[in-house]
Amino acid sequence: RFQLAVAVDDLVAKKLAIAHDYLKQAAFPLMQGARAILDYFQQQPLIQQAIVTGAGAQIVQATVRSHSLAGYFATIVSYDDVERSKPAPDCYLLAAERLKLEPSECIAIEDTEHGVAAAVAAGIACIAIPNAQSLRHDFSKAIVVVPNLKAAQTWISQQYQLEG
């Protein structure tokens, strides 16, 4: 698309090296409202939470560990767990399988076009939350686009009649 004079594998290796160096000193920051939405859904009967990410296992594990989030998730699926990463549906299909759920029983929250495409291709309804880097992405496949996690929580609660 951008006609770069560098191989994709070289770009991926450089990105992973930068992320690895960053994670030696700090974890990736959480989206505003992340802990509140995790707490809310953890209290809902019959709801399981999962991370489905295009990041490598080392990166996601460092972030989960740094923010003490491990207890929230029934499973974590990373780039390393699948043959094809987002926008392919493989990561979401694996997460649903691990959760022993049909994709139609799941809902995803994504902040990129590739993430929305992966969820939808897996048969999972997806809420989009654009961020500063993804404002111009195409979120037309999402069931709704909301400005933040609080709005996503409210939308899900109303649609699925969840408890307070």
Side-chain angles (χ1 to χ4, degrees):
R1 177 174 159 192
F2 296 105
Q3 300 178 359
L4 301 176
V6 61
V8 172
D9 290 342
D10 292 341
L11 289 174
V12 170
K14 183 68 172 172
K15 176 191 171 201
L16 292 174
I18 290 169
H20 179 72
D21 290 344
Y22 176 83
L23 289 171
K24 286 181 183 176
Q25 299 174 23
F28 283 113
L30 299 177
M31 289 176 76
Q32 184 176 3
R35 192 166 306 272
I37 197 171
L38 290 170
D39 286 339
Y40 174 78
F41 286 118
Q42 188 174 43
Q43 300 305 313
Q44 298 300 315
L46 306 176
I47 289 185
Q48 300 176 75
Q49 298 182 93
I51 293 177
V52 178
T53 180
Q58 180 182 4
I59 294 169
V60 70
Q61 290 296 341
T63 299
V64 167
R65 197 171 39 254
S66 294
H67 293 289
S68 301
L69 300 176
Y72 289 99
F73 303 108
T75 192
I76 296 174
V77 177
S78 75
Y79 171 88
D80 298 312
D81 295 316
V82 293
E83 188 173 319
R84 300 176 306 151
S85 189
K86 297 175 185 180
D90 303 22
C91 52
Y92 274 108
L93 293 171
L94 179 58
E97 179 183 315
R98 287 180 178 176
L99 295 171
K100 296 179 175 43
L101 296 171
E102 292 298 318
S104 62
E105 297 175 294
C106 302
I107 190 161
I109 299 174
E110 280 286 352
D111 64 352
T112 67
E113 181 177 348
H114 278 171
V116 171
V120 172
I124 295 174
C126 187
I127 296 172
I129 304 176
N131 63 44
Q133 291 76 39
S134 67
L135 282 174
R136 296 180 186 206
H137 288 198
D138 177 4
F139 292 114
S140 61
K141 292 181 181 176
I143 55 174
V144 66
V145 178
V146 296
N148 55 47
L149 287 171
K150 181 64 177 166
Q153 176 184 321
T154 299
W155 190 91
I156 294 168
S157 297
Q158 291 171 346
Q159 293 297 310
Y160 298 96
Q161 303 172 351
L162 300 178
E163 298 175 7

